Amino acid sequence: MKKVKLGGCSYLYQKTEGKYTLFADPKDNGWCENLKGKPIFQIKNTGNGIEFTQRNKNKLDYDEAQELIYLLKKIK
């Protein structure tokens, strides 16, 4: 996994077979204990479009917008 810094928080980026995931870095004290090491944002390339999973449903805050932009740039 690659370490990434977005909006003041550290993430771990992982790409696996069409899935692009940002995990909360367990070493970053900025994350709540219950989120450390957990997937925060994920994009899946289905071949017919993309599906995304985020920790907060039905809204996209500024941090999540940064996460989404970062992952979208990884899809080629």
Side-chain angles (χ1 to χ4, degrees):
M1 286 194 236
K2 178 183 174 184
K3 193 169 189 170
V4 177
K5 190 97 166 163
L6 297 172
C9 291
S10 293
Y11 298 83
L12 298 175
Y13 166 71
Q14 181 181 45
K15 178 185 173 189
T16 57
E17 301 205 20
K19 287 185 184 177
Y20 306 81
T21 309
L22 287 173
F23 294 88
D25 185 348
K27 295 179 182 175
D28 185 339
N29 291 328
W31 291 106
C32 297
E33 287 299 318
N34 64 329
L35 292 177
K36 289 183 177 184
K38 302 262 170 82
I40 299 299
F41 211 104
Q42 182 179 78
I43 289 181
K44 181 179 179 184
N45 185 353
T46 65
N48 292 324
I50 59 169
E51 296 174 356
F52 66 91
T53 307
Q54 65 192 80
R55 70 179 184 273
N56 294 322
K57 307 292 181 206
N58 300 322
K59 69 175 192 166
L60 191 64
D61 65 23
Y62 295 116
D63 289 335
E64 289 171 322
Q66 284 185 322
E67 296 161 359
L68 177 59
I69 290 167
Y70 178 85
L71 291 176
L72 286 172
K73 288 180 180 178
K74 296 294 183 181
I75 298 175
K76 302 212 184 233

